[in-house]
Amino acid sequence: MVKHRNARLRLFGLLWLAGMAGVMSLVLLPLPSLPEGAPPAAVVRLLMLVQPTVLLSVAVLIGVLLAHRLGLMAPGAEALADGRSWRKAMVPQLLPGVVGGLISGGLLTAIALLSRPLLPPAFEAAEPTPLLVRFLYGGITEEILIRWGLMTLLLWLGWRFGQHRQGKPQARWVIVAIAVSSLVFAVAHLPAAIALGLPLTPPLLGFLLIQNSLFAGVAGYLFWRYGLETAMIAHLVVHAVLALIG
């Protein structure tokens, strides 16, 4: 019992530290113009880190407490926490993660090209998010927040109240958990567009929601089928594809 508890504490620490790398990368984001009398920029940047740190801590805790009951895993992190070979745990996740990321990256690129004539000029002119933020926060922290935390919680709610904790989670609850968490993932990207001063025209709104929810659906499936790190790998590959294509 003590050994199991210690392993879970180590798992929490590993995932929290991984997620915090992405949270800390947010200091690289450019600050909007601050009004007269606003706190110093350093204080504003520090305050920007508070909310994601709290959300990350809650998400990691939810996954550590509930994921194993639902058959959801973070194989690499769990192997490290248990003192097993993380390399062996990661091998089955590499191929589906890379393939899922390449397919998603291709689809997102196609959607972007088809949508370009409909999007406002300000979208093309907007300053891109720093690549390190996209990799660390997008590829790692967002997966912990949305898949390990939110999707796990949604699936647990369906299993707990819809199945009364009987057997494995049914496919319908998996679909609901993936769909709802994907929609939340997509909507969560809208404040960033607003912060950039982009006009949320119907085409831009549809573009952002479709692009992000489409990938989130793929990432949710990969998490459910293979493990959290598979979704992270796919997310990282997507950002690499989009960065290369520009």
Side-chain angles (χ1 to χ4, degrees), residues 87 89-100 226 229-230 233-234 237:
R87 291 182 179 85
M90 289 296 298
V91 167
Q93 300 189 81
L94 292 176
L95 182 59
V98 171
V99 171
Y226 299 100
E229 291 89 352
T230 311
I233 292 168
V237 171

Side-chain angles (χ1 to χ4, degrees), residues 127-145:
E127 184 176 350
T129 302
L131 196 58
L132 190 62
V133 177
R134 283 185 269 172
F135 282 139
L136 293 180
Y137 189 83
I140 296 175
T141 307
E142 284 184 345
E143 289 306 316
I144 295 173
L145 290 171

Side-chain angles (χ1 to χ4, degrees), residues 5-240:
R5 187 185 304 117
N6 290 340
R8 291 210 293 184
L9 287 173
R10 287 193 295 270
L11 178 61
F12 179 94
L14 287 168
L15 291 175
W16 189 84
L17 288 173
M20 279 304 296
V23 171
M24 296 305 297
S25 75
L26 294 178
V27 299
L28 299 175
L29 293 175
L31 286 177
S33 299
L34 298 176
E36 187 176 348
V43 175
V44 174
R45 290 189 182 279
L46 182 62
L47 293 175
M48 286 173 53
L49 305 182
V50 174
Q51 183 185 41
T53 298
V54 173
L55 292 176
L56 172 68
S57 302
V58 173
V60 173
L61 182 62
I62 288 172
V64 169
L65 293 178
L66 302 180
H68 69 284
R69 306 184 190 183
L70 308 167
L72 300 175
M73 305 172 292
E78 289 174 17
L80 275 174
D82 293 337
R84 294 180 284 111
S85 171
W86 65 272
R87 291 182 179 85
K88 290 183 179 179
M90 289 296 298
V91 167
Q93 300 189 81
L94 292 176
L95 182 59
V98 171
V99 171
L102 290 175
I103 293 174
S104 299
L107 287 174
L108 299 190
T109 300
I111 292 172
L113 291 174
L114 292 172
S115 303
R116 180 172 290 176
L118 304 174
L119 301 179
F123 179 74
E124 290 287 336
E127 184 176 350
T129 302
L131 196 58
L132 190 62
V133 177
R134 283 185 269 172
F135 282 139
L136 293 180
Y137 189 83
I140 296 175
T141 307
E142 284 184 345
E143 289 306 316
I144 295 173
L145 290 171
I146 301 298
R147 252 59 72 180
W148 185 249
L150 179 59
M151 181 178 153
T152 297
L153 177 61
L154 292 170
L155 184 55
W156 180 84
L157 289 172
W159 175 74
R160 169 64 180 84
F161 296 103
Q163 290 182 229
H164 305 290
R165 295 183 287 194
Q166 299 298 314
K168 296 180 179 180
Q170 296 170 356
R172 57 176 173 166
W173 302 121
V174 175
I175 293 171
V176 169
I178 292 175
V180 174
S181 61
S182 297
L183 180 59
V184 171
F185 177 79
V187 171
H189 284 76
L190 299 182
I194 295 172
L196 290 172
L198 298 179
L200 285 184
T201 60
L204 179 58
L205 185 62
F207 169 74
L208 293 173
L209 292 178
I210 290 171
Q211 260 211 336
N212 287 297
S213 60
L214 177 64
F215 169 70
V218 174
Y221 170 80
L222 292 173
F223 170 46
W224 169 66
R225 181 68 179 81
Y226 299 100
L228 177 65
E229 291 89 352
T230 311
M232 289 180 175
I233 292 168
H235 206 147
L236 292 167
V237 171
V238 164
H239 282 304

